[in-house]
Amino acid sequence: QMQLVESGGGLVEPGGSLRLSCAASGFTFRGYYMTWIRQGPGKGLEWVSYISRDSGMTTYYADSVKGRFTVSRDNAKNSLYLQVNTLRTEDTAVYFCARMGGWGAFDIWGHGTMVTVSS
Amino acid sequence: QSALTQPASVSGSPGQSITISCTGASSDVGSYNYVSWYQHHPGKAPKLMISDVSNRPSGVSNRFSGSKSGNTASLTISGLQAEDEADYYCTSYTSSSTYVFGTGTKVTVL
């Protein structure tokens, strides 16, 4: 079945970095745009970034993470990544990856990986 | 980009219909038919319920329907059931080629 599994979260100090991963299975990964979404504790969902299919040459970011986060993909490994740098306490959240089934649909989601930014 | 506006909570009795609104701007909801709705039970993966304003993915109950008028999109749940109790979020593509989520609505089945 089609599945996304995130990993790489953890506890990090302010200013630190992490690399989040999202392993895809059950579909032709290279053929889809992919996106990251997060949910802070007690907060709603917040869109973070997306990357185009195939070469991944096109990327977009929310203003809140622009310049600090970088999305990438390795189609040979069926994997999506989010490099998160210069972390702030407000970046504390569960980070979800999702497949973009079209411009108006995030149709497959993972269960998320928790990032906690605290000293 | 400001979050789309949703009511914080909506409630209804089993069997009733409820509607959740999602108000944006001409730069997002009003300009694109790329509005989608997600059901989220805390601790689980969000689930796509409606795509492209009004399309229901395979496997989603036909009790869920979507629509849009101007800068406001809506999700209607008919024949409310206990299992529908969850948080619901809308999202829209924007003129900046980004996405914006709604503030979220907690649906309670009385």
Coordinates of all heavy atoms in Angstrom, one line a residue, chain B residues 24-33 35 68-73 92-93:
Chain B
G24 N -11.0 33.1 3.0 CA -9.6 33.6 2.6 C -9.7 34.9 2.0 O -10.5 35.8 2.4
A25 N -9.0 35.1 0.9 CA -8.9 36.3 0.1 C -8.9 36.1 -1.4 O -8.8 34.9 -1.8 CB -7.6 37.1 0.6
S26 N -8.8 37.2 -2.1 CA -8.8 37.0 -3.6 C -7.5 36.5 -4.1 O -7.4 36.0 -5.2 CB -9.1 38.4 -4.2 OG -8.1 39.3 -3.8
S27 N -6.5 36.5 -3.2 CA -5.2 35.9 -3.6 C -5.1 34.4 -3.3 O -4.0 33.8 -3.6 CB -4.1 36.7 -2.8 OG -4.3 36.6 -1.4
D28 N -6.1 33.9 -2.7 CA -6.0 32.4 -2.5 C -7.3 31.7 -2.8 O -7.6 31.4 -4.0 CB -5.5 32.1 -1.0 CG -6.1 33.0 0.0 OD1 -7.4 33.0 0.2 OD2 -5.4 33.7 0.7
V29 N -8.2 31.6 -1.8 CA -9.5 30.9 -2.1 C -10.2 31.5 -3.3 O -10.8 30.8 -4.1 CB -10.3 30.9 -0.8 CG1 -11.7 30.3 -1.1 CG2 -9.7 30.2 0.3
G30 N -10.2 32.8 -3.4 CA -11.0 33.5 -4.4 C -10.5 33.3 -5.8 O -11.3 33.5 -6.8
S31 N -9.3 32.9 -5.9 CA -8.6 32.9 -7.3 C -8.4 31.5 -7.8 O -8.1 31.3 -9.0 CB -7.3 33.6 -7.3 OG -7.5 35.0 -7.2
Y32 N -8.4 30.5 -6.9 CA -8.0 29.1 -7.3 C -9.0 28.1 -6.8 O -9.6 28.2 -5.7 CB -6.7 28.8 -6.8 CG -5.6 29.7 -7.2 CD1 -5.2 30.8 -6.3 CD2 -4.9 29.6 -8.4 CE1 -4.2 31.6 -6.7 CE2 -3.9 30.5 -8.8 CZ -3.6 31.5 -7.9 OH -2.6 32.4 -8.3
N33 N -9.3 27.1 -7.7 CA -10.1 26.0 -7.2 C -9.2 24.9 -6.6 O -9.5 23.7 -6.8 CB -10.9 25.4 -8.4 CG -12.0 26.4 -8.8 OD1 -12.6 27.0 -7.9 ND2 -12.4 26.4 -10.1
V35 N -8.7 24.3 -3.3 CA -9.0 24.2 -1.9 C -9.3 22.8 -1.5 O -10.0 22.0 -2.2 CB -10.3 25.1 -1.6 CG1 -10.7 24.9 -0.1 CG2 -10.1 26.5 -2.0
K68 N -17.6 26.3 -2.9 CA -16.9 27.6 -2.8 C -17.8 28.7 -3.4 O -18.4 28.5 -4.4 CB -15.6 27.5 -3.5 CG -14.7 28.7 -3.2 CD -13.4 28.7 -4.0 CE -13.6 29.3 -5.4 NZ -12.3 29.5 -6.1
S69 N -17.8 29.8 -2.7 CA -18.4 31.0 -3.3 C -17.5 32.2 -2.9 O -17.3 32.5 -1.7 CB -19.8 31.2 -2.7 OG -20.4 32.4 -3.1
G70 N -17.0 32.8 -4.0 CA -16.1 34.0 -3.7 C -14.9 33.6 -3.0 O -14.2 32.6 -3.3
N71 N -14.6 34.3 -1.9 CA -13.4 34.0 -1.1 C -13.7 33.0 0.1 O -12.8 32.8 0.9 CB -12.9 35.3 -0.5 CG -12.4 36.3 -1.5 OD1 -12.1 35.9 -2.6 ND2 -12.3 37.6 -1.1
T72 N -14.8 32.4 0.1 CA -15.2 31.4 1.1 C -15.5 30.0 0.6 O -16.3 29.9 -0.3 CB -16.4 31.9 1.9 OG1 -16.0 33.2 2.6 CG2 -16.8 31.0 3.0
A73 N -14.8 29.0 1.2 CA -15.1 27.7 0.9 C -15.8 27.0 2.0 O -15.7 27.5 3.2 CB -13.8 26.9 0.6
S92 N -5.5 26.2 0.9 CA -5.7 26.7 -0.4 C -4.3 27.1 -1.0 O -3.4 27.5 -0.3 CB -6.5 28.0 -0.4 OG -6.5 28.6 -1.7
Y93 N -4.2 26.9 -2.3 CA -3.0 27.4 -3.0 C -3.1 28.9 -3.1 O -4.3 29.5 -3.0 CB -3.1 26.8 -4.5 CG -1.9 27.1 -5.3 CD1 -0.7 26.5 -5.1 CD2 -2.0 28.0 -6.4 CE1 0.4 26.8 -6.0 CE2 -1.0 28.3 -7.2 CZ 0.2 27.6 -7.0 OH 1.3 27.9 -7.8

